Amino acid sequence: GVEIPVVSIPEIQGAGHLSPYRGQTVTTEGVVTGVAFDGFFVQDPVGDGNADTSDGMWVFMGNFCNGCPAVGDHVQLTDRVDEFIPGGAGTGNLSTTDMAFPNLTALSSGNPLPAPVVIGRSGRIAPNVVTISEDELPVNLQDDPGVFNPDEDGIDFYESLEGMLVTVEDAVAVSAVRAFGNFSSELFVLPNNGHPQVIEPNNVRTDRGGINLAADADGYGDLNPERVQIQFDASDIRTGTLYPSTVPVINVGDRLGDVTGVVGYDFGNFEVRALHELNVTPAGLTPETTSLLGTQGAVTVASYNVLNLSPLSSDDNQRAKLADQIVNNLGSPDVVALQEIQDNSGETDDGTVEADQTLQALVDAIAAAGGPSYEFFDVAPADGSSGGVPGGNIRNAFLYNPERVELDHFVSLTETVLTEIGVSNPTAFVGTRDPLAAAFVFEGQLFVVINNHLSSRFGSTPIFGGPQPFFQAAESDREAQLGALNELVDLILAADKDARVIVLGDFNTFDFTDDLTEILP
């Protein structure tokens, strides 16, 4: 038969995004560094001394990891080398070099683990400006190993550590924990408590401990490759999870000390899958509370995306939190413009489009939290026409306090209405949420609020993905929508130069993008 080559894990990984041995059957060996519910990580105990070639690799074994070795086992593996793209090539994800269900032999057990590579000032500092060099573009790293430069390009830096044990040195949280069901949670951190040596530019941190995007007007450029995603694979319903405890409560600014884990990749991001319980030192950050309150001479208006709110009991906790924030953090605004109000049946796709129960439930929760008795209104979209979660029929809506303001009139800015008004591109909002415009009277003065939820970025490819430059979905749609809104406001002001107009909502873009700036005078 054909002789199977014996190669090291660094040789399998190679200095690039694709293994030089992909599609070939090889034999390799290493020490098991972490065991998950569906596979394990294995690493060459010595390595090849080349920082550009990863010494580690993921081995897939299926749910419940039948036949998985133990941490510290030295194993020999024979299998075909694969480049697995999580979710398939259509996601835009990078591939992970791995083996699946290999012929496995345990050679010994209880071996010491390789020393983790330090991500931070006493080890390797991640690139903090460039995700991928412009002179490489365009390229699709799903089928091209790329021009590999881990010292310059963030996407190459993390690829060079794929499958390896690493320690993020003196990590500080720049996000809170986000949970995805009861098995997967994540947050983002900076090494070395965000020391100036590891971040760029030096003023990119926020006053409250986060990190601002420093991208250009097109949404490219510096996208903070110095951020590291920490992944918690923790659950009380599955065995063999990498993280040994329940997911900790972590908020922006909390200090986490050194975080050791193995480098994986999923959902468009490299991630350090934590292997030990974290020692969290809270920063004591508390939610902001506005100092803006409605007075005899001042009306208050707020905008709030309520994230697919329905009237169903499954949203009771979310609804109570929203009510608490509207009352206690936003100070019970006189007008609240809402986005992502679902219909009365939630995500059940049964033809329901009315949302009066959704809005009434929120109004009741606000009153129960000590807020005013708000009135509400919306305009239902045609079934299935507004995007978002299938069956949800999300739309824009308003709450207003009738003790403070009077509703004069409202109108959904449909294609027909925009045509009648004289907007030159009346189809700009077709396929997404129509803006909802409302005129209110406060102390005898009329003011107009235009509530928006522009086209989603859904369908964008990942920043740390295969196709580069990454694709930002619906950019031209949002630009057209913002152009239509700008034209609409101009028409309102042409009719009444003293008109008071507020344009607000979820624009699904950033304050620095030219979607917004190019339409300014």
Side-chain angles (χ1 to χ4, degrees):
V2 178
E3 185 174 342
I4 296 174
V6 178
V7 296
S8 69
I9 294 175
E11 288 176 307
I12 292 172
Q13 285 281 8
H17 286 269
L18 300 175
S19 169
Y21 288 91
R22 62 174 170 159
Q24 298 182 44
T25 297
V26 302
T27 296
T28 193
E29 61 181 68
V31 174
V32 177
T33 56
V35 179
F37 78 94
D38 58 349
F40 61 93
F41 289 89
V42 63
Q43 184 168 331
D44 189 297
V46 178
D48 64 351
N50 181 0
D52 290 358
T53 56
S54 170
D55 298 337
M57 186 175 65
W58 168 248
V59 180
F60 179 69
M61 296 290 286
N63 283 347
F64 307 109
C65 211
N66 290 324
C68 270
V71 171
D73 284 359
H74 192 127
V75 297
Q76 183 184 77
L77 310 167
T78 300
D79 192 26
R80 189 185 74 168
V81 176
D82 190 23
E83 288 288 345
F84 174 73
I85 301 176
T91 61
N93 286 334
L94 289 171
S95 62
T96 299
T97 304
D98 72 359
M99 290 181 171
F101 304 105
N103 188 331
L104 186 153
T105 304
L107 303 177
S108 63
S109 60
N111 296 284
L113 302 186
V117 173
V118 174
I119 299 176
R121 297 175 67 208
S122 63
R124 295 179 62 185
I125 295 178
N128 53 22
V129 174
V130 177
T131 302
I132 186 168
S133 298
E134 287 190 15
D135 58 9
E136 282 189 59
L137 307 177
V139 66
N140 188 348
L141 299 174
Q142 294 175 337
D143 50 34
D144 189 321
V147 179
F148 208 60
N149 187 357
D151 293 330
E152 176 78 14
D153 294 1
I155 199 167
D156 298 342
F157 174 83
Y158 295 107
E159 175 73 23
S160 74
L161 296 169
E162 180 188 89
M164 291 185 68
L165 269 175
V166 299
T167 295
V168 183
E169 186 175 42
D170 191 16
V172 61
V174 291
S175 77
V177 173
R178 291 198 304 168
F180 302 92
N182 60 358
F183 180 66
S184 176
S185 300
E186 68 184 29
L187 83 155
F188 286 89
V189 304
L190 294 173
N192 302 117
N193 194 32
H195 188 278
Q197 189 177 350
V198 303
I199 65 172
E200 179 67 31
N202 287 343
N203 62 353
V204 76
R205 297 292 300 279
T206 69
D207 291 341
R208 290 172 63 81
I211 182 169
N212 279 323
L213 274 176
D216 59 26
D218 292 320
Y220 295 103
D222 184 351
L223 296 165
N224 303 136
E226 63 266 49
R227 296 186 316 159
V228 181
Q229 180 179 318
I230 306 298
Q231 176 76 18
F232 300 104
D233 296 334
S235 173
D236 55 5
I237 63 169
R238 279 179 170 169
T239 58
T241 54
L242 287 164
Y243 191 69
S245 184
T246 55
V247 177
V249 175
I250 297 172
N251 207 346
V252 174
D254 291 357
R255 300 282 292 272
L256 311 179
D258 292 347
V259 180
T260 296
V262 279
V263 177
Y265 180 94
D266 209 352
F267 294 101
N269 270 304
F270 290 97
E271 53 192 27
V272 175
R273 301 173 68 178
L275 293 172
H276 65 96
E277 192 166 356
L278 302 191
N279 183 19
V280 180
T281 302
L285 190 70
T286 56
E288 291 180 287
T289 300
T290 185
S291 60
L292 300 176
L293 298 174
T295 62
Q296 184 175 348
V299 64
T300 54
V301 180
S303 174
Y304 204 149
N305 185 321
V306 293
L307 297 177
N308 285 304
L309 184 67
S310 81
L312 306 180
S313 59
S314 56
D315 283 356
D316 285 352
N317 290 339
Q318 177 185 352
R319 189 179 306 103
K321 181 175 289 188
L322 291 169
D324 176 68
Q325 291 175 351
I326 288 169
V327 174
N328 297 310
N329 298 92
L330 295 179
S332 297
D334 299 323
V335 176
V336 185
L338 304 169
Q339 301 87 43
E340 293 199 16
I341 289 290
Q342 288 192 354
D343 64 38
N344 291 339
S345 65
E347 295 174 20
T348 302
D349 194 359
D350 59 0
T352 300
V353 294
E354 297 79 9
D356 56 310
Q357 294 171 23
T358 308
L359 290 163
Q360 186 65 56
L362 178 59
V363 164
D364 291 345
I366 291 170
S373 296
Y374 282 111
E375 299 287 338
F376 61 81
F377 59 90
D378 72 309
V379 175
D383 189 28
S385 68
S386 63
V389 177
N393 287 313
I394 58 172
R395 84 288 309 275
N396 304 316
F398 277 97
L399 309 182
Y400 68 97
N401 183 353
E403 298 296 318
R404 293 274 299 161
V405 296
E406 177 189 348
L407 175 64
D408 188 82
H409 67 278
F410 64 89
V411 61
S412 180
L413 298 178
T414 62
E415 178 183 351
T416 300
V417 170
L418 291 174
T419 300
E420 292 171 351
I421 292 172
V423 172
S424 60
N425 184 7
T427 62
F429 298 94
V430 172
T432 189
R433 280 68 56 184
D434 289 325
L436 183 58
F440 298 95
V441 178
F442 175 73
E443 296 187 359
Q445 297 279 354
L446 192 76
F447 66 98
V448 175
V449 185
I450 305 174
N451 182 5
N452 301 276
H453 186 188
L454 303 191
S455 289
S456 170
R457 303 184 78 84
F458 184 79
S460 302
T461 57
I463 295 171
F464 285 93
Q468 296 289 344
F470 67 93
F471 172 66
Q472 302 184 75
E475 284 287 276
S476 59
D477 294 338
R478 287 188 292 276
E479 289 171 1
Q481 290 157 14
L482 286 157
L485 289 169
N486 189 66
E487 188 178 355
L488 174 63
V489 173
D490 286 345
L491 290 168
I492 294 172
L493 293 176
D496 177 4
K497 64 181 178 60
D498 296 322
R500 295 168 171 83
V501 185
I502 300 171
V503 180
L504 48 64
D506 183 348
F507 294 97
N508 263 316
T509 191
F510 303 101
D511 58 343
F512 49 75
T513 61
D514 54 15
D515 310 21
L516 297 169
T517 58
E518 283 187 352
I519 62 171
L520 295 178

